[in-house]
Amino acid sequence: MDVFNQLIYDFAAWVDTHQWSTALHESFYVYNWIESTHVVALTLSLGMLFLIDLRMLGLAMADIPASTLARRLSLPMFLGFTVMIITGLLLFYAIPVRSAQSLWLRIKLVLLFAAAINAWLFHRRLRTAGQSWDTAVKAPVRLQVGASLSITLWVLIVICGRLIAYDWFDCRAEPSSFIATLAGCIADQEQF
Amino acid sequence: MRTIRLLALMLLPLAALYSWQAKGHHAFSAEFDKEAPVSLEGVVTKVEWINPHAWIHLDVTGGDGSTVAWMVEGGTPNTLLRGGVNKNSVPIGTSIKVRGYQAKDKRCAPACKANGRDLTFSDGRKVFMGSSGTGAPKDGSDPRDRR
């Protein structure tokens, strides 16, 4: 874990030396625009995703065939995801070291990984499930499980994202050694 | 029936979020103590003019001659610029007076932390250095506060 944390820290400290990273960090408008765009894109992508998930659970637009709904909503959903990922990376680029050592961002990335696997499994099940249930109110149970997991994971991801703003577990606040290891704090590191 | 269920399902996280927000939505109450106002007079040692919050570091000399390091959080570079200060307004070595509220975390490591409300220069010029709408006490320092 220490080697891993050191690698992450070295990478983040290297990013921090970039002129553009500093410019973004000190900018009067661009940082704020990126931050707002990240949140607006989130409402688009998760709005679409949750509608698809709720349709699978029979809780939204049950009179529309599930495959039709999923097909129509996935373009705006992926558009939102793309903007969200780009702006998210830029937010990291602006404040690399503190972000890399954020306990919340680390939890968020694990949850994002889980959500990605869940989405991949969901689409595989969707392909193999056939069309027989398409007009039924609820999707097959396996798809319902995936849809519920998707909603739960994304709610947690958004909460973790919001909590990155708070400094309770920042390395500067000298958290317990367990938290410090999870957050990736390096002993006697330079303060950023 | 389905509509009612959907409505309930959508309201549930909203209710949970509301109770959570009441505690932690505002950056102010999550990190700073409204019962601990501070008035700091000191010399600027470092300035971080960064998003999402600027930080002014200053050394405050107490009555007994000992020096305490403080770091005071301000608004964004943008709100500070609109308020009338930029990075060059507070060069290292400037004597300033800051009114604000101390952090809930009072360990003062590596420096005592506070949320800045207003900043007074030695020539008497006073500017609001916080952000509006953070839930900080309405103490008259924010010109946008409605009474």
Side-chain angles (χ1 to χ4, degrees), chain A residues 23-29 31-32 35 54 57-63 95 137-138 151 155 159 162-163 165-168 172-175 191-192, chain B residues 2 5-6 9-10 13 17 20 24-28 30-31 46 48-52 55 57 71 76-78 81-82 86-87 105 107 109-110 113:
Chain A
L24 215 52
H25 202 179
E26 297 182 352
S27 68
F28 288 112
Y29 288 98
Y31 181 89
N32 315 32
E35 206 177 26
L54 288 172
L57 297 170
L59 291 168
M61 303 187 199
D63 53 341
I95 313 180
V137 170
K138 287 180 181 180
I151 293 176
V155 166
I159 290 175
R162 180 64 189 99
L163 289 176
Y166 299 98
D167 66 355
W168 310 311
R172 193 139 70 170
E174 295 173 351
Q191 295 298 342
F192 282 84
Chain B
R2 195 175 302 133
R5 250 195 321 180
L6 178 62
L9 196 85
M10 289 168 94
L17 200 69
W20 175 65
H25 168 69
H26 297 299
F28 184 86
E31 285 180 30
K46 184 184 172 190
E48 297 176 89
W49 222 248
I50 52 171
N51 286 293
W55 290 92
H57 299 244
M71 48 189 294
T76 68
N78 186 303
L81 185 71
R82 284 160 194 246
N86 63 39
K87 197 176 185 172
D105 175 4
R107 285 175 302 170
K113 225 168 60 174

Side-chain angles (χ1 to χ4, degrees), chain A:
Chain A
M1 192 69 182
D2 285 347
V3 179
F4 173 74
N5 281 337
Q6 184 71 46
L7 264 173
I8 302 263
Y9 171 78
D10 289 344
F11 171 73
W14 172 74
V15 173
D16 196 80
T17 62
H18 287 204
Q19 209 180 324
W20 284 92
S21 165
T22 310
L24 215 52
H25 202 179
E26 297 182 352
S27 68
F28 288 112
Y29 288 98
V30 182
Y31 181 89
N32 315 32
W33 284 341
I34 292 172
E35 206 177 26
S36 312
T37 307
H38 190 64
V39 176
V40 172
L42 177 156
T43 63
L44 177 66
S45 55
L46 294 195
M48 300 297 117
L49 178 71
F50 284 5
L51 272 179
I52 296 171
D53 287 338
L54 288 172
R55 168 65 187 88
M56 299 297 161
L57 297 170
L59 291 168
M61 303 187 199
D63 53 341
I64 298 175
S67 63
T68 308
L69 192 82
R71 204 173 44 242
R72 286 190 185 165
L73 299 190
S74 34
L75 180 67
M77 181 180 80
F78 278 112
L79 200 73
F81 275 129
T82 309
V83 175
M84 205 156 61
I85 288 167
I86 293 171
T87 49
L89 287 171
L90 285 170
L91 287 173
F92 177 87
Y93 184 69
I95 313 180
V97 179
R98 183 185 179 262
S99 308
Q101 296 183 325
S102 161
L103 182 67
W104 299 116
L105 180 60
R106 289 181 169 214
I107 297 172
K108 181 179 170 179
L109 289 175
V110 171
L111 293 170
L112 273 171
F113 185 66
I117 292 179
N118 183 57
W120 180 71
L121 287 174
F122 182 87
H123 281 280
R124 217 179 52 166
R125 287 175 199 155
L126 197 63
R127 273 202 312 274
T128 54
Q131 295 278 306
S132 55
W133 55 275
D134 207 19
T135 50
V137 170
K138 287 180 181 180
V141 176
R142 270 150 42 97
L143 285 170
Q144 284 190 51
V145 171
S148 312
L149 259 176
S150 157
I151 293 176
T152 312
L153 285 168
W154 276 102
V155 166
L156 292 174
I157 288 166
V158 173
I159 290 175
C160 283
R162 180 64 189 99
L163 289 176
I164 294 172
Y166 299 98
D167 66 355
W168 310 311
F169 302 117
D170 274 20
C171 295
R172 193 139 70 170
E174 295 173 351
S176 69
S177 64
F178 174 67
I179 298 279
T181 306
L182 283 185
C185 304
I186 307 291
D188 303 321
Q189 71 176 66
E190 193 190 333
Q191 295 298 342
F192 282 84

Side-chain angles (χ1 to χ4, degrees), chain B:
Chain B
M1 193 57 212
R2 195 175 302 133
T3 319
I4 293 168
R5 250 195 321 180
L6 178 62
L7 213 66
L9 196 85
M10 289 168 94
L11 285 175
L12 206 71
L14 212 68
L17 200 69
Y18 181 77
S19 60
W20 175 65
Q21 277 199 330
K23 271 194 298 194
H25 168 69
H26 297 299
F28 184 86
S29 62
E31 285 180 30
F32 299 99
D33 183 354
K34 68 179 190 330
E35 306 296 339
V38 287
S39 184
L40 309 164
E41 283 189 69
V43 177
V44 176
T45 56
K46 184 184 172 190
V47 175
E48 297 176 89
W49 222 248
I50 52 171
N51 286 293
H53 296 286
W55 290 92
I56 297 176
H57 299 244
L58 63 162
D59 277 345
V60 178
T61 308
D64 59 350
S66 63
T67 303
V68 181
W70 280 80
M71 48 189 294
V72 183
E73 186 191 71
T76 68
N78 186 303
T79 47
L80 288 166
L81 185 71
R82 284 160 194 246
V85 268
N86 63 39
K87 197 176 185 172
N88 302 321
S89 311
V90 276
I92 291 170
T94 318
S95 291
I96 54 167
K97 182 180 167 188
V98 172
R99 287 194 311 143
Y101 297 88
Q102 193 172 359
K104 285 180 171 171
D105 175 4
K106 297 196 172 58
R107 285 175 302 170
C108 283
C112 298
K113 225 168 60 174
N115 178 270
R117 295 294 286 165
D118 54 32
L119 168 65
T120 313
F121 293 94
S122 50
D123 62 2
R125 192 164 71 97
K126 190 192 258 190
V127 292
F128 174 58
M129 70 170 287
S131 296
S132 298
T134 61
K138 290 190 192 300
D139 52 12
S141 55
D142 182 356
R144 273 179 230 101
D145 267 351
R146 260 180 251 141
R147 306 206 156 252

